Amino acid sequence: MSSIENVPPQVAWTLRLEELDALDGAVAAVAPVVGAAFATGWRGRLLRGEWLGHALHPLLTDVVIGSWTSASVLDVVGGEEGRGAARTLVGVGLAAVGPTAWSGWAEWSDSGPREQRVGLVHAVTNGAAIGLYAASWLARRRGRHAAGAGLGLAGASAMGVAAYLGGHLSTARDVGSRHPAFEAVDG
């Protein structure tokens, strides 16, 4: 492992996570199921965004993150008038999370061991965010807006950690499909 001295703590933590071979058993258990469900045949091609020319996952994450972040903004500044829109936005994020996760799993299947370790933690952290936002939506639907807003803010925290790890995978580790024509062009 490269030196992790004099780097921000989150970078050091992420580098340690990449080397955490204690996750290899979980990765090995999940990989065949994920590969069969999301990474092969027409489903894999669709979910990796081969038809688009690059990974579909980042595009879909914008819908989920954007909806949930907008709901949090409304919770903080929208007052009573923003409650219905905030609940709708939480619901939109929940509706979009399935295809978003599936496209992420398709990319994960083609990545290396270090990336799969981080990707597994990314997925688990996203699972926590999804659970918190689902509970938020239910609380809001039952008229418990303050509880729903609190659960949404907790979900936003989990989502932030997951987004950091996802950003690491896509930018620092270059995980993501792209058309070969992009590789042939010198930038």
Side-chain angles (χ1 to χ4, degrees), residues 95-107:
V97 83
T100 304
W102 303 336
S103 65
W105 283 120
E107 295 292 345

Side-chain angles (χ1 to χ4, degrees), residues 8-112:
Q10 64 276 13
V11 173
W13 174 81
T14 306
L15 289 169
R16 282 192 214 85
L17 184 59
E18 287 183 347
E19 300 297 327
L20 189 60
D21 57 5
L23 293 171
D24 291 348
V27 167
V30 170
V33 175
V34 166
F38 304 114
T40 59
W42 68 269
R43 279 188 313 264
R45 290 189 299 278
L46 175 74
L47 292 170
R48 279 189 301 278
E50 291 178 17
W51 55 274
L52 185 60
H54 64 75
L56 179 61
H57 187 65
L59 174 70
L60 295 176
T61 63
D62 286 353
V63 175
V64 177
I65 294 170
S67 297
W68 288 346
T69 301
S70 296
S72 293
V73 169
L74 285 174
D75 288 337
V76 173
V77 301
E80 202 168 313
E81 303 82 34
R83 289 180 177 183
R87 183 182 68 228
T88 298
L89 286 164
V90 170
V92 168
L94 289 169
V97 83
T100 304
W102 303 336
S103 65
W105 283 120
E107 295 292 345
W108 179 85
S109 292
D110 287 338
S111 63

Side-chain angles (χ1 to χ4, degrees), residues 13 121-122 125-126 155-167:
W13 174 81
V121 175
H122 169 70
T125 308
N126 272 319
S157 297
M159 178 182 64
V161 172
Y164 172 83
L165 293 173

